[in-house]
Structure formats: C-alpha cells, structure tokens
C-alpha cells in the first residue's frame, strides 16, 4: 500500500543533444551524422531495501526495484539521490536544471488494504527543478499530478550536501519535506463510514491539504570499479499534519517511517553511428 516503484534516473538526458547535433559536438561526444551519433552509456542494477508496509505503517517489508539510467558519456555527471524520480532535463545549465519528472504507483488492494478501498495502480507526472548554490550542495523540488491512482497534487522538497571522502567514496545527505492536496490525502488517508466498519478504524476526513512529512536522508556511495557502483542509504521521515492525524496512522500505524537499503549498478558503454 502506497509503495512507489521508481526506475531511478531513467532518461536523465540533456535535451540539447536531441535538439541540435552541434550542441553535443561541443563536448566531443557526437559525430554530427545523426542526433543519436556518439558515445552513450546504459547503467542497470538493483535496489534492495526494508521499508514500512505502507506510508504510516508500523510493520516493515523487504522490497526491490530496478535501477536504470541512460545518457551520453563525457557529459558532466550530476549528483543524484535515490529519492529522485524519473527525470528528463529540458534546460541544463551549470547550476540550474529544470524538466519533466514522473513516478509509477503500485496498486493498493487485497490483503494489503485490510478493509480499506482498493486504489488502482497509476502514476504521477509533473516537473522538477534543481539548483546548485555551491558545488557541494543541491536543492531539488518536484511537483506532480496523479494519474489514475489519484487525482491530487503532490510535491517534494529536498536538500543534499555531498562530499567526496576519496575519489571513489562519496557521502551525502540532507533534509526532506513533502506535501499533498486534499484529493491525494483523501485517497490514501481518508476513512469513510463503509471502510470504518470493514477495517475497525475511525472515520476520518482530511478536509484539506498541507505538509505530509518531514525528515532526513543520507547515503554512502562507492565506485567499486570503473563500471560498478554500490550504495548504502537510509531515509527517515515523520508524518505531519493531516496525514499524521489519520486514523490509519494513529490507530494502526506510526508517524515514524524508516527505510534502509543497498543498491548496485553496472555501466555499459557503447557507440552509435
């Protein structure tokens, strides 16, 4: 329930590479023959983590997800966090990026729902913005609208400081905050009379939106080899406002949410004529 399926970093490409071949040639990565000509890399891997059964739950489960990224080689690598959703940069400057982002949402139903209404699988689409006030700190925001699963609006704010302890080991971390509209909260935290009878939870109507959680996250990333990268991370959030006051959380779950996990990826390099 509430689990989010992320293909981390998918399609984080510079739009300039597709708009005009000459722009890519400045970095020496395109022959100019076609917009796709040049050196590319495909990174694939897996993410294994322990997380709450659903947002607000006091019970934990083990989960896994694929990690996929694709882009030109030779382009300056940007800092990324496991919280970043699928992104496509439309504008990519030295200290500022803006573009499109999206996320896939798993369905809620069956034994997971415990008397609550089923929520179909769906997604969220919207935009992101990144700002680098220094070369060791990134601010990122996302604003997304639900598709199929819910009709609400959700947003996320995150700040990450990062430091290379050695050329191969990087530590990073910082604060996180999320917020959502009433329609989102009603879908995932609201309890109507019928659900109350079926689940034993008290009736709850969010009656508005607002901040839903605040917390901290951090990671240690190790470039094990030139092509293999591994990471150990942890994310802690505390539910806030109307999400925290839901009977789903106060009567059955917990405001305190902790996710810990490990990931590993392998990079394939290739050239297209």
């Amino acid at each position: 329930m509430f689990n989010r399926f992320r293909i981390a970093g998918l399609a984080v490409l510079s739009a300039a590479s597709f708009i005009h071949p000459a722009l890519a040639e400045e970095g020496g990565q395109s022959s100019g023959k076609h917009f796709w000509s040049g050196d590319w890399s495909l990174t694939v891997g897996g993410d294994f983590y322990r997380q709450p059964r659903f947002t607000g739950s006091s019970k934990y489960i083990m989960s896994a997800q694929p990690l996929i990224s694709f882009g030109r080689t030779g382009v300056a690598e940007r800092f990324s966090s496991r919280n970043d959703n699928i992104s496509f940069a439309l504008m990519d400057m030295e200290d500022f990026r803006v573009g499109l982002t999206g996320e896939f949402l798993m369905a809620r139903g069956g034994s997971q729902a415990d008397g609550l209404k089923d929520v179909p699988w769906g997604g969220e689409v919207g935009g992101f913005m990144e700002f680098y006030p220094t070369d060791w700190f990134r601010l990122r925001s996302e604003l997304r609208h639900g598709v199929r699963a819910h009709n609400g609006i959700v947003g996320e704010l995150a700040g990450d400081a990062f430091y290379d302890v050695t050329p191969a080991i990087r530590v990073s971390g910082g604060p996180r905050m999320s917020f959502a509209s009433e329609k989102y909260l009603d879908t995932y935290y609201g309890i109507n009379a019928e659900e109350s009878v079926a689940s034993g939870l008290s009736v709850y109507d969010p009656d508005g939106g607002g901040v839903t959680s605040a917390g901290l996250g951090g990671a240690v990333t190790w470039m094990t080899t030139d092509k293999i990268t591994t990471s150990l991370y942890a994310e802690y959030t505390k539910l806030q406002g109307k999400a925290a006051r839901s009977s789903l959380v106060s009567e059955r779950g917990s405001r305190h949410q902790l996710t810990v996990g490990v990931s590993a990826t392998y990079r394939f390099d290739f050239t297209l004529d």
Side-chain angles (χ1 to χ4, degrees), residues 1-2 108-110 112-120 149 183-206 246-248 251-252:
M1 183 161 34
F2 308 98
R108 183 186 80 178
Q112 277 192 317
D114 292 335
L116 304 183
K117 62 186 177 185
D118 290 350
V119 178
K183 289 184 178 180
Y184 175 89
L185 288 170
D186 187 59
T187 299
Y188 289 107
Y189 293 96
I191 308 294
N192 60 33
E194 182 180 352
E195 291 175 306
S196 176
V197 172
S199 66
L201 297 171
S202 301
V203 173
Y204 178 71
D205 180 5
S246 170
S247 55
L248 178 63
E251 297 176 11
R252 180 177 290 173

Side-chain angles (χ1 to χ4, degrees), residues 14-95:
S14 171
S17 299
F18 292 90
I19 295 172
H20 198 290
L23 295 178
E25 286 180 341
E26 293 178 2
Q29 301 304 315
S30 174
S31 67
K33 184 177 179 180
H34 302 291
F35 71 84
W36 62 78
S37 300
D39 297 328
W40 296 83
S41 65
L42 173 66
T43 301
V44 297
D47 188 8
F48 305 90
Y49 50 97
R50 183 175 184 265
Q51 66 171 8
R53 180 182 170 197
F54 56 84
T55 303
S57 176
S58 59
K59 298 179 180 179
Y60 284 75
I61 60 173
M62 294 299 297
S63 299
Q65 67 181 3
L67 298 177
I68 306 172
S69 64
F70 178 65
R72 288 191 182 276
T73 59
V75 177
E77 183 178 354
R78 293 282 190 171
F79 169 81
S80 63
S81 164
R82 76 172 299 272
N83 294 309
D84 299 350
N85 284 301
I86 302 169
S87 302
F88 184 91
L90 298 176
M91 179 184 297
D92 195 339
M93 304 172 66
E94 183 177 355
D95 57 1

Side-chain angles (χ1 to χ4, degrees), residues 207-228:
D207 191 27
V211 175
T212 56
S213 68
L216 294 168
V220 178
T221 303
W222 176 31
M223 292 186 62
T224 313
T225 70
D226 179 53
K227 295 183 178 295
I228 299 175

Side-chain angles (χ1 to χ4, degrees), residues 100-179:
L100 305 177
T101 188
E103 182 172 9
F104 179 77
L105 303 179
M106 300 292 285
R108 183 186 80 178
S111 61
Q112 277 192 317
D114 292 335
L116 304 183
K117 62 186 177 185
D118 290 350
V119 178
W121 64 266
E124 294 168 353
V125 294
F128 79 93
M129 182 174 63
E130 291 181 354
F131 175 57
Y132 293 78
T134 72
D135 59 2
W136 53 266
F137 188 76
R138 185 195 71 166
L139 291 170
R140 179 179 170 107
S141 64
E142 293 189 14
L143 188 65
R144 307 182 302 274
H145 191 284
V147 178
R148 195 172 188 268
H150 68 87
N151 292 315
I153 295 174
V154 296
E156 296 175 354
L157 300 172
D160 284 279
F162 45 94
Y163 176 72
D164 294 332
V165 180
T166 72
I169 298 177
R170 168 175 286 182
V171 295
S172 61
R176 285 88 169 90
M177 179 177 290
S178 62
F179 56 91

